[in-house]
Amino acid sequence: MAAGGVAVFIVCHLLLLSYLSYSLPLCTNSRAPFTPKKALDFCSYNGSVCCDSAEDLQLQKQFQSMNVSDSSCAAILKSILCAKCDPFSADLYTTKSTLRTIPVLCNSTSSVNSVQTKSAANAFCDKVWDTCQNVSVFNSPFAPSLQGGVPENSTVSKLTDFWQSKPVFCEDFGGSAVDGSICFDGDPVTLNKTEPPNPPSGMCLEKIGNGSYLNMAPHPDGSDRVFFGNQAGKIWLATVPEMGSTGTLGFDESTPFIDLTDEVHFDTTFGMMGMAFHPDFARNGRFFVSFNCDKVQSPECSGRCSCNSDVNCDPSKLTPENGVQPCRYHTVISEYTANGTATEGSLKTSASPSEVRRIFTMGLPFTGGHGGQIIFGPADGYFYFMMGDGGSRGDPYNFSQNKKSLLGKIMRLDVDNIPSAKEINDLGLWGNYSIPRDNPFVDDKDLQPEIWTLGMRNPWRSSFDSERPSYFISADVGQETYEEVNLITKGGNYGWHIYEGYSLYKAPGSPEANSSISSVNTILPVMGYSHSDVNKNEGSASITGGYVYRAQTDPCMNGRYVYADLYANYLWAADETPENSGNFTSNLIPFSCAHDSPIQCASVAGSPLPTLGYIYSFGEDNRKDLMFLTSTGVYRVVRPSRCNYTCSKETAPSPTSPGSNPSSPSSGYRVRTLQTELGLLLSSFLLILPGFFL
Ligand SMILES: *[C@@H]1O[C@H](CO)[C@@H](O)[C@H](O)[C@H]1NC(C)=O
Ligand SMILES: *[C@@H]1O[C@H](CO)[C@@H](O)[C@H](O)[C@H]1NC(C)=O
Ligand SMILES: *[C@@H]1O[C@H](CO)[C@@H](O)[C@H](O)[C@H]1NC(C)=O
Ligand SMILES: *[C@@H]1O[C@H](CO)[C@@H](O)[C@H](O)[C@H]1NC(C)=O
Ligand SMILES: *[C@@H]1O[C@H](CO)[C@@H](O)[C@H](O)[C@H]1NC(C)=O
Ligand SMILES: *[C@@H]1O[C@H](CO)[C@@H](O)[C@H](O)[C@H]1NC(C)=O
Ligand SMILES: *[C@@H]1O[C@H](CO)[C@@H](O)[C@H](O)[C@H]1NC(C)=O
Ligand SMILES: *[C@@H]1O[C@H](CO)[C@@H](O)[C@H](O)[C@H]1NC(C)=O
Ligand SMILES: *[C@@H]1O[C@H](CO)[C@@H](O)[C@H](O)[C@H]1NC(C)=O
Ligand SMILES: *[C@@H]1O[C@H](CO)[C@@H](O)[C@H](O)[C@H]1NC(C)=O
Ligand SMILES: *[C@@H]1O[C@H](CO)[C@@H](O)[C@H](O)[C@H]1NC(C)=O
Ligand SMILES: *[C@@H]1O[C@H](CO)[C@@H](O)[C@H](O)[C@H]1NC(C)=O
């Protein structure tokens, strides 16, 4: 029961955050708007919408049954019914987490906002009242009996039957409680366009570590410490040097936080691929590691094969990739604890390598494409797990589109409520977790309930925007031609292997592009790049997803999504214009290394360009400063002026007080504040604490 209460709370917070504060095109069922194959017949929406033709027909029937004689009022009521199809319907129909039957109608007072293009003169709520107040309507959607259900019998009513005056009517249906939120003015919502800002002149880096890591996560206590994990299976806890100091990452390489190299199978495409610290880690000591293991080497390494009869797959019929038998290697998620060491709470600096619980195990069909990143959602507290299609060029067994397969999916699990072994078995789960009850396919027998999204190829680095937790951005590595970035929405299908990027995928040697499009409602990427943009040799490109930059350090990068190519030293920053529209424009960003970098950056002879090596991943610390994790070390984004880049918004650095000790949590990092304690009291899940966004 308690868990249910918490879940409701989390959902409310999620709704508040994602629907009220920010306007992102989103439908009421949390799904992304889509472009129907055929224009809607009744509702004159075009482009991206939230209705399919069946819903459009339904709305038409509802409208006809209303039998509105007055044509002006009829046009208004039709526009109101059709707002269901608006790509911003989630904003229009949701207030304070409850779903409305009538969209928020622009009020004379509240329509003065800079978000929408329409001016204040359009007081749509007034217009609805003035035009329709005396008009008789069958089954009026405004009738209180309809507020929340379908009536049993037809009734005719006027607005004046229920509301005495315009102010009372507009009190109920008008306006928008939150400043800058969206309202319906009779026409499809269009956002006020702002001029695209100029891209910054360049990004300045400093090198603060020599180690090569795949993962970084800030300490959930909000301090200046971060965890680094390498591919072989070790995790270190390091102190981030004060910005502007000459310090480097503070930690002792010979004393890792945990050493799992005995469990981890480490090879080119295998290793420790992800790590996630529980939001409440400082208190409960729980953390999770995602890695690969080899059944031949380790008896602990065994689980169900991803190629099985449920997905019409016979392991003995798979063509082994690189001569490796299917399901010799596994992807495993294990839980460990930092308890039991001499120090407690935030001071824990090491953990025992003995597994507390096996969260997930799945045998892999091939050697490549198995993602493996794990992240706790900052708003909902659930555990997101990015899984690739399992490898083999073109996903020949169609795992990513297969609804019964967990390959090529982003999953969403609840690791706080562990069911009994019997329940796990009855439900056919892949380990010790439960299914969040608002997962998109919990009630759909055709789909695995773990699935959050389908049609991924190999999501390599996903992140939540720390200022807008509804923005879950995932970079998906391409196959032949295109590297893509997706804006993740619940239940979305991102198209692989029917689409690669924006185009239908044509398997090598096949004359035709994949022709099963009709069965898939693909959500196209929001940005990306072609292989030909970075390298003439097809195949040698691989995207590394980053973060929406939110640090104060480089104000010209603020709000831009940063990503890179793994092989080429190419870096992009994407602007979203208008803000919150999902319309991103990527620009290649020059970068260089500060001449006063704590560790000198190696550079290409005769050029200021630092040789970063392979850009494996990015990390964000508790101050939202961005790090590059590369094969040659750890680089941090610093003030542009340190590389002679101009950024007019850059302010002079605040003088660092002499003698300040960089190893103690500095005032710049938020440790637990009053705000976060309130968050704790309210929801049991801190929504505002910076350290949660790993
Ligand atoms: C969509 O509708 C608007 C207004 O009705 C119109 O201006 C625009 O040209 C249409 N766009 C397309 C692609 O049909
Ligand atoms: C619709 O309204 C007109 C008069 O306004 C009436 O004659 C007609 O019978 C109504 N139709 C239905 C289906 O109620
Ligand atoms: C768009 O927003 C700007 C400022 O944010 C505001 O000054 C302008 O009036 C808005 N435009 C419209 C058409 O509402
Ligand atoms: C509606 O009826 C009221 C009262 O009978 C009247 O004052 C008002 O002018 C009418 N409005 C319209 C638009 O007909
Ligand atoms: C619907 O019809 C039933 C039976 O005819 C009646 O008892 C009930 O009051 C009606 N409801 C409304 C809202 O008119
Ligand atoms: C809409 O305007 C009316 C006055 O016309 C006011 O009473 C009401 O509170 C406003 N509604 C909202 C939600 O702001
Ligand atoms: C998307 O952004 C580009 C570049 O900033 C701009 O030209 C275009 O108008 C935007 N599109 C929409 C639909 O706002
Ligand atoms: C990093 O490597 C460089 C070059 O080998 C060396 O000079 C420097 O001391 C190292 N720094 C750290 C912090 O390990
Ligand atoms: C770790 O310590 C916390 C706090 O005392 C406790 O709630 C938790 O159960 C412990 N975990 C393990 C695995 O012992
Ligand atoms: C659940 O965790 C326990 C302890 O690690 C493990 O023995 C068991 O196999 C796990 N169950 C599943 C289904 O993985
Ligand atoms: C892949 O699977 C989907 C979903 O089961 C199916 O609709 C589609 O036809 C399959 N495509 C191929 C090429 O096998
Ligand atoms: C930046 O400009 C200063 C002064 O003009 C110069 O000394 C320095 O070398 C320049 N730094 C870089 C990285 O170009």
Side-chain angles (χ1 to χ4, degrees), residues 350-663:
S350 68
S352 150
S354 61
E355 186 178 8
V356 172
R357 189 180 285 120
R358 184 61 61 98
I359 301 291
F360 185 94
T361 318
M362 183 169 77
L364 296 168
F366 308 111
T367 54
H370 44 255
Q373 188 188 8
I374 50 181
I375 324 179
F376 278 96
D380 61 14
Y382 288 126
F383 188 86
Y384 290 82
F385 173 27
M386 301 352 119
M387 176 51 83
D389 66 6
S392 198
R393 189 175 192 177
D395 189 17
Y397 300 91
N398 198 20
F399 289 127
S400 292
Q401 289 296 327
N402 193 314
K403 298 165 180 177
K404 290 285 183 193
S405 172
L406 295 183
L407 294 167
K409 307 296 184 306
I410 292 179
M411 290 169 249
R412 182 179 183 246
L413 315 176
D414 179 349
V415 296
D416 286 335
N417 295 290
I418 312 290
S420 68
K422 182 178 183 304
E423 284 173 286
I424 291 170
N425 189 51
D426 290 351
L427 292 168
L429 304 180
W430 297 72
N432 287 291
Y433 56 83
S434 58
I435 304 291
R437 65 192 66 180
D438 60 338
N439 265 16
F441 304 117
V442 274
D443 297 323
D444 190 337
K445 291 270 176 293
D446 289 339
L447 286 112
Q448 293 283 100
E450 290 87 348
I451 297 174
W452 187 250
T453 66
L454 301 82
M456 319 307 294
R457 183 177 171 274
N458 191 21
W460 187 252
R461 298 328 187 209
S462 308
S463 66
F464 287 89
D465 179 352
S466 59
E467 282 189 9
R468 298 173 301 178
S470 66
Y471 268 58
F472 180 19
I473 302 182
S474 180
D476 199 13
V477 178
Q479 182 79 74
E480 319 291 336
T481 57
Y482 200 81
E483 302 296 311
E484 68 186 64
V485 179
N486 295 302
L487 199 50
I488 297 299
T489 52
K490 175 178 179 174
N493 187 334
Y494 292 86
W496 176 248
H497 66 168
I498 293 164
Y499 278 86
E500 181 186 15
Y502 298 90
S503 317
L504 286 171
Y505 175 68
K506 184 178 156 303
S510 107
E512 297 285 320
N514 212 315
S515 57
S516 49
I517 337 152
S518 56
S519 59
V520 177
N521 229 332
T522 296
I523 301 175
L524 294 176
V526 290
M527 63 188 119
Y529 57 95
S530 295
H531 288 192
S532 55
D533 291 346
V534 294
N535 201 320
K536 297 279 177 279
N537 290 326
E538 295 230 322
S540 52
S542 183
I543 194 169
T544 300
Y547 286 84
V548 176
Y549 186 85
R550 292 295 179 189
Q552 299 305 313
T553 310
D554 182 347
C556 286
M557 284 305 300
N558 202 279
R560 292 182 151 90
Y561 178 71
V562 177
Y563 61 103
D565 184 72
L566 173 78
Y567 300 108
N569 275 329
Y570 277 74
L571 191 68
W572 290 266
D575 298 319
E576 190 187 22
T577 39
E579 219 183 317
N580 304 319
S581 64
N583 179 41
F584 288 90
T585 309
S586 296
N587 289 295
L588 269 175
I589 295 292
F591 59 92
S592 55
C593 188
H595 60 93
D596 57 353
S597 174
I599 301 173
Q600 280 299 302
C601 302
S603 64
V604 182
S607 138
L609 198 67
T611 42
L612 299 180
Y614 298 141
I615 304 174
Y616 291 133
S617 199
F618 291 90
E620 199 183 45
D621 70 7
N622 279 321
R623 216 183 248 178
K624 307 298 161 217
D625 273 314
L626 185 67
M627 315 274 181
F628 289 40
L629 312 186
T630 85
S631 55
T632 62
V634 178
Y635 299 81
R636 173 166 67 174
V637 177
V638 298
R639 288 186 298 110
S641 57
R642 283 177 63 188
C643 292
N644 292 357
Y645 290 128
T646 49
C647 166
S648 57
K649 291 182 223 155
E650 185 183 335
T651 50
S654 52
T656 36
S657 49
S660 74
N661 177 3
S663 68

